[in-house]
Amino acid sequence: MPELPEVETSRRGIEPHLVGNVIQYAEVRNSRLRWPVSGKIMQLSDCRVISVQRRAKYLLLELADGWIIIHLGMSGSLRILLEELPPEKHDHVDLIMADGKILRYTDPRRFGAWLWSDTLDECSVLAHLGPEPLSDLFDGKYLYTLSRNKKTAIKPWLMDNKVVVGVGNIYANEALFVAHILPERPVHSLTEQEAHLLADTIKQILRRSIEQGGTTLKDFLQSDGKPGYFAQELFVYGKKGECCSICGEKIESVKLGQRSTFFCRQCQH
Ligand SMILES: [Zn+2]
């Protein structure tokens, strides 16, 4: 599943080809995604792209009179074609640009979304989202303040979009390992020092993934193939029964909030 670093990498990949360019029209071959593709997108004609932004895992294409809001769902990907290429089975949406380039959206499982909103404030999918993890709004002080009196387990809390956006299962597992915090501890048990370490660790891990993603940027220009989601170096995620790379103890796994949770009891407290 594309996580925040992949979405940010997609944004950086498509941005230079779209900003200042004009969408002549959209070709929607299959509008049945997670929600139907907005009618407004199907009727686009000669709209200049002002900016390509990201909020949580949504890509936001700013046009003169509104926003195209794209979510990659479970299996969506975007790439830039330099010339017309016959679409394949899962290529559901194309944006045909005035300079001949095409932004092509591919999504085998069709859990993605292409929505329209006149303003970002009116966009219901963006309402009630917590701060961006890489913004200054998200830091140890914020996490610590928010954590007081909360009895739920730390890991599902970190993955709650109202607390902070874009910390998916892999990143939550890895960040808690690096910050030496057991995922099942109650939120209110976080000390101020741990909250700072955890916030810094989340930023560090996401930044490193985005940097790694930078090396895949050239793939956005490939006429065949898709931008690969990058392999990350993982400490605990998916490693049940393997030896911890720090202390050699066996990595354990439990379900927390229905999500697989991996940790080392020796390294995390
Ligand atoms: Zn360990």
Side-chain angles (χ1 to χ4, degrees):
M1 189 192 307
E3 294 289 347
L4 187 140
E6 284 90 356
V7 179
E8 177 58 22
T9 300
S10 298
R11 190 194 70 73
R12 295 179 184 185
I14 64 176
E15 183 183 38
H17 303 284
L18 297 188
V19 173
N21 207 340
V22 170
I23 302 171
Q24 281 188 326
Y25 62 95
E27 189 160 326
V28 179
R29 283 176 288 272
N30 188 344
S31 63
R32 288 168 302 149
L33 301 180
R34 180 173 180 190
W35 300 293
V37 174
S38 295
K40 184 90 186 197
I41 293 172
M42 300 197 224
Q43 292 153 19
L44 284 176
S45 129
D46 293 331
C47 301
R48 188 172 295 277
V49 180
I50 297 168
S51 70
V52 179
Q53 304 181 27
R54 178 188 59 73
R55 176 76 172 104
K57 296 205 298 185
Y58 293 93
L59 286 165
L60 314 171
L61 271 50
E62 181 185 12
L63 311 182
D65 60 343
W67 298 77
I68 298 175
I69 292 150
I70 303 169
H71 196 284
L72 302 177
M74 308 283 286
S75 58
S77 62
L78 290 163
R79 65 200 151 114
I80 299 284
L81 307 183
L82 295 179
E83 56 187 4
E84 174 72 55
L85 264 186
E88 295 186 19
K89 190 176 168 199
H90 302 297
D91 296 339
H92 304 309
V93 182
D94 282 352
L95 293 183
I96 317 296
M97 309 305 294
D99 68 352
K101 288 178 185 165
I102 296 172
L103 176 71
R104 177 159 286 177
Y105 177 70
T106 307
D107 188 354
R109 296 183 66 182
R110 288 196 283 116
F111 275 106
W114 279 66
L115 305 172
W116 176 268
S117 190
D118 291 340
T119 69
L120 286 189
D121 291 341
E122 289 168 29
C123 181
S124 59
V125 295
L126 300 180
H128 315 298
L129 289 177
E132 288 287 327
L134 296 176
S135 74
D136 292 341
L137 293 174
F138 178 75
D139 60 12
K141 193 171 169 227
Y142 164 83
L143 262 191
Y144 183 70
T145 308
L146 202 65
S147 67
R148 298 305 83 196
N149 303 317
K150 295 245 170 28
K151 296 190 177 72
T152 48
I154 290 176
K155 182 168 159 269
W157 181 71
L158 270 188
M159 293 173 64
D160 179 350
N161 267 335
K162 290 196 270 311
V163 174
V164 56
V165 299
V167 180
N169 198 28
I170 295 175
Y171 297 107
N173 275 297
E174 293 293 305
L176 286 167
F177 175 80
V178 175
H180 312 293
I181 298 167
L182 276 175
E184 47 200 348
R185 265 176 51 190
V187 172
H188 67 75
S189 72
L190 271 182
T191 65
E192 204 165 351
Q193 200 184 1
E194 284 174 329
H196 281 278
L197 181 59
L198 186 54
D200 290 348
T201 304
I202 288 171
K203 285 176 193 279
Q204 229 175 56
I205 289 179
L206 289 174
R207 279 207 189 99
R208 198 179 309 140
S209 286
I210 291 170
E211 275 165 29
Q212 281 177 0
T215 62
T216 69
L217 282 183
K218 59 180 176 8
D219 293 339
F220 284 87
L221 269 176
Q222 280 181 354
S223 52
D224 52 12
K226 293 157 191 70
Y229 299 131
F230 20 105
Q232 300 141 37
E233 307 157 37
L234 300 171
F235 287 107
V236 287
Y237 181 80
K239 294 187 185 281
K240 182 184 179 182
E242 293 181 34
C243 294
C244 170
S245 56
I246 305 296
C247 74
E249 199 60 34
K250 287 260 188 302
I251 290 166
E252 297 178 44
S253 173
V254 295
K255 290 270 182 192
L256 262 185
Q258 280 96 54
R259 304 302 300 271
S260 302
T261 300
F262 303 89
F263 59 93
C264 171
R265 218 172 267 285
Q266 185 89 354
C267 293
Q268 293 166 264
H269 308 283

